[in-house]
Each structure stands twice: as C-alpha cells, then as structure tokens.
Amino acid sequence: MEYLNGAARVVVKIGSSLLVDDKTGSLRSDWLQSLSEDISDMQSKGLEVVIVSSGSIALGRKVLSWSEKSLSLEQSQASAAVGQIQLAQAYQEALAQYGIRTAQILVTLEDSKDRRRYLNSQATVETLLEMGVVPIVNENDTVATDEIKYGDNDRLAAQVSVTIGADLLILLSDVDGFYSSNPMTDANANHYTKIEKITPEIEAMAEDTKSKVSKGGMKTKLLAAKIATAAGCDMIIAKGTGSNPISSMGNINKKTLFKAQIKDPQTARKKWISTMKPVGELVIDEGAVNALFSGKSLLPAGVLIVRKDFERGDAVSILNTKGEVLGLGLCAYSSDEASSIMGHQTSEIEEILGYAGRGVIVHRDNIAF
C-alpha cells in the first residue's frame, strides 16, 4: 500500500458527487460497496480509518422532493436531517458486510474552536479507533448556520485530521489532482504529482470548479492542504469516481500529493499546546514524573496539588515537587473536579464525582514538555 505513503491513521473525505448520482439524487450503492472493500483492506493491514462524508443534504432533498438548485437555510437543514439518517445507514450496511462497525459523529466549526468540545471530539474518535470502529464524520447541518459552519467538508476533513493526529488525508472527488489551471477549460493545464510547499504561485493557480451537488472547489481543497500539511499531515487529492477509489490510487488513477511541512502530526499538536497561556497548575509526585517521561498519561493518583481556577480543556502547567515546570497540558477536568479526585485511583472517579469521567487528568497526547 505504498500509495498511502506509509500512513498509520488516515482520514478519507468523500465528496457528494461521488456518493450521490448527479442526475437522480440517488445513492451510488455499487460505488459505496467498492469503497467499503478498500477500507476493509486498509483495516486488515493495521490502518486506522476515519471517513468525512458529504451527501446528507443531497440525499435528503431527493426524499423531500426538492428539485430546485438553491435551497433556503431551513430547507437545507431539513434536507440534512432527513439525509443524515440515510447516509449513516448506507455506510453502516456497506461496511457491516466486511465485519466493520461504524459510528456517526456530527460536528460544527464551534466544536474545534472550543477546547472542551475539541477534547470531547478527540477522545471520542480515539476510543472508537481503539475499538476498530470507523467513525463517519459530517458537519451538523441541521443546527449549523453560516457563522458556525465550516461551509465545506474539505476544510472539515483537514480539521478532523489535525484533531486526531492523522498521517494522511485523502480528498476523493471528481478531479484527479491539482493543475496549473482548470483542465476543463485549458487543454494545456499541467498536472502536479507532488507539491512540496504551497507557495503564492500555487495558490494563484487554484480555480473554483463545482459540480451540481458538491460545494468544495479547488480553492477549498488548497486551503484544506494548508491546514493539514502545517500540522504534519500529508494530503492527497485523487479522483474517486471509479470503483475501489483508494486502491486505484496505486497504479490506475493520477493524484497530487501535498507534503507535510513537519514530519510528525503529534509534534505540530504539541507545538500548538506549548503556545498556550497556562490557567492553572498541577503539582505531581515523582512516580507521575517518571510515568510522563516514559510516554504515559497523567493519572489522578499522581497529582499532589491543584492550584488556581480553571475549566475542563484549559491549559495547565505541570510541575514537580521542586517547583520546576515540566510542561504544559490540556486538563480533562476543571480545577474543582481535579482537586476532588487527586491522589485517588481511576476506579474511584465515578464514586467521587458522581459520574464516570475520563480515566486520566491529562492525556499524553495533550502534553507538551
């Protein structure tokens, strides 16, 4: 699977024009079946896969018999509400034939801007991937308005990739990569196999080309590439209209690879955390210090002192008993909750707080030393 660039965690974005027939508005079941075969093959080789899928509005508008090209906000939200059920069921049935379980996750732009929601999303996806489940992510169009929308699933897929530390983002659409100009109108357009860095010259080449059911043009794909590659995630734009669209990238279809600007997605994430201003402090014992530097998370049992007031998702300084700052982390609990469970075993959290909280106070992926 050399065409997957040695990735271990992959986000696959599915455009509406691939999943939904442009003329009839019906689901392309045979195509979805072939995609499921590809995903099964990826999982069998140890890869973790997340799908970001368009198509809910396109499917819903057919059920509601809305044939007009432009829908009002209320009509779009109603279409999404109907289509999300069909979309989730279609993926569930297609992947179940290969013994793969699925989960639906609906998000808005606000979810990635708010640190508490960000942590919730990250923890949910991580847990699902550990269980071998394929999360199906979509924008929550039923509640999102323009102010809180990504607006297209290319950028949503890029943000999901950043959130979960993916190694590779694949944008499957009706184009086979990046060109120097629009190949539909310019016969002399040059195809790029690899782009090492997105320069102003590259950005100037992008033109918006949209199908009847797809929102994202080349400009949005380029923006997605900037988001993903800055966070250490490679990105591929590939044509996905044919059967087995992922495995076809190997030797059949052309594609464009955008190279990550740093090697490790976790490095970018920790760099982002390190720039935050700490709101509180956690003083930890020597055993917890050793655990952290051996790559483990910070458990409640290792916390000795909680200082200052902070909320869940806030950045906190982590100190040893000498007062030396070891690093910065995003805390999974508020200061009041952390004070209540510090020094206790994870198994005691539910009894103390009255609910089953996170097993760690700061996850290892959310610590920057």
Side-chain angles (χ1 to χ4, degrees):
M1 304 180 79
E2 295 81 7
Y3 54 90
L4 293 181
N5 233 33
R9 179 172 289 183
V10 182
V11 174
V12 181
K13 182 264 178 177
I14 311 298
S16 292
S17 59
L18 303 180
L19 196 62
V20 181
D21 187 277
D22 216 350
K23 296 179 180 178
T24 66
S26 301
L27 183 75
R28 297 180 62 206
S29 301
D30 291 344
W31 181 88
L32 180 56
Q33 192 64 41
S34 73
L35 172 71
S36 301
E37 184 180 357
D38 280 349
I39 292 171
S40 175
D41 186 48
M42 293 166 70
Q43 274 203 339
S44 70
K45 292 176 172 59
L47 276 71
E48 296 175 325
V49 184
V50 175
I51 296 174
V52 175
S53 181
S54 304
S56 61
I57 293 179
L59 289 172
R61 68 189 297 165
K62 174 179 171 58
V63 175
L64 297 174
S65 300
W66 282 330
S67 58
E68 57 266 31
K69 292 182 180 180
S70 180
L71 299 179
S72 66
L73 173 61
E74 292 79 8
Q75 288 176 320
S76 293
Q77 291 175 325
S79 294
V82 173
Q84 280 167 1
I85 295 174
Q86 294 208 328
L87 190 66
Q89 184 177 9
Y91 276 109
Q92 182 184 40
E93 292 176 352
L95 288 165
Q97 296 184 46
Y98 296 91
I100 299 173
R101 294 169 294 176
T102 57
Q104 184 185 47
I105 300 177
L106 300 176
V107 297
T108 66
L109 181 60
E110 282 191 336
D111 296 323
S112 60
K113 288 184 174 180
D114 183 282
R115 281 203 293 272
R116 280 171 286 181
R117 296 187 192 181
Y118 180 96
L119 287 176
N120 280 333
S121 299
Q122 182 195 46
T124 299
V125 174
E126 290 284 353
T127 302
L128 291 170
L129 292 176
E130 288 175 6
M131 299 297 294
V133 177
V134 173
I136 312 297
V137 184
N138 199 355
E139 181 141 38
N140 194 354
D141 290 307
T142 59
V143 300
T145 55
D146 287 342
E147 312 88 68
I148 62 170
K149 283 174 67 71
Y150 286 92
D152 64 84
N153 276 349
D154 294 329
R155 282 178 289 179
L156 170 58
Q159 185 58 55
V160 169
S161 301
V162 174
T163 300
I164 67 170
D167 307 293
L168 176 64
L169 166 61
I170 302 173
L171 299 185
L172 293 177
S173 67
D174 51 6
V175 295
D176 59 1
F178 187 85
Y179 286 80
S180 57
S181 59
N182 190 341
M184 299 178 67
T185 57
D186 183 1
N188 296 317
N190 294 318
H191 179 271
Y192 284 78
T193 302
K194 182 188 293 187
I195 294 178
E196 296 286 350
K197 185 177 182 180
I198 300 173
T199 63
E201 290 76 19
I202 292 292
E203 291 187 78
M205 296 175 188
E207 293 184 27
D208 272 327
T209 53
K210 302 177 182 179
S211 71
K212 293 179 182 177
V213 296
S214 177
K215 287 185 179 180
M218 191 53 67
K219 286 184 180 179
T220 65
K221 289 174 174 54
L222 206 58
L223 179 55
K226 292 177 71 173
I227 295 169
T229 57
C233 178
D234 288 338
M235 193 188 94
I236 290 175
I237 298 176
K239 192 169 186 176
T241 51
S243 296
N244 300 99
I246 297 176
S247 58
S248 294
M249 291 194 309
N251 50 21
I252 300 175
N253 292 344
K254 290 192 296 184
K255 61 184 181 295
T256 299
L257 170 65
F258 293 82
K259 290 295 295 178
Q261 296 306 294
I262 57 176
K263 292 182 178 180
D264 182 13
Q266 288 299 330
T267 300
R269 175 175 175 75
K270 291 177 186 293
K271 183 178 180 181
W272 167 67
I273 292 173
S274 69
T275 62
M276 294 181 177
K277 182 179 180 180
V279 179
E281 295 180 349
L282 301 176
V283 180
I284 64 175
D285 62 28
E286 193 62 30
V289 172
N290 294 333
L292 290 188
F293 283 103
S294 65
K296 296 180 180 179
S297 299
L298 177 59
L299 302 178
V303 179
L304 299 173
I305 303 172
V306 177
R307 295 183 181 142
K308 302 180 182 179
D309 294 328
F310 54 85
E311 296 298 325
R312 182 174 187 273
D314 282 341
V316 295
S317 295
I318 301 173
L319 300 84
N320 60 20
T321 52
K322 298 177 182 178
E324 298 168 332
V325 178
L326 307 176
L328 202 65
L330 302 184
C331 194
Y333 290 95
S334 68
S335 53
D336 289 342
E337 293 168 328
S339 297
S340 297
I341 63 175
M342 69 179 187
H344 290 274
Q345 299 298 314
T346 299
S347 58
E348 301 176 87
I349 292 177
E350 184 172 6
E351 183 179 350
I352 295 171
L353 298 181
Y355 67 89
R358 307 290 182 196
V360 301
I361 282 203
V362 183
H363 193 277
R364 61 186 181 187
D365 291 342
N366 294 326
I367 300 175
F369 293 103

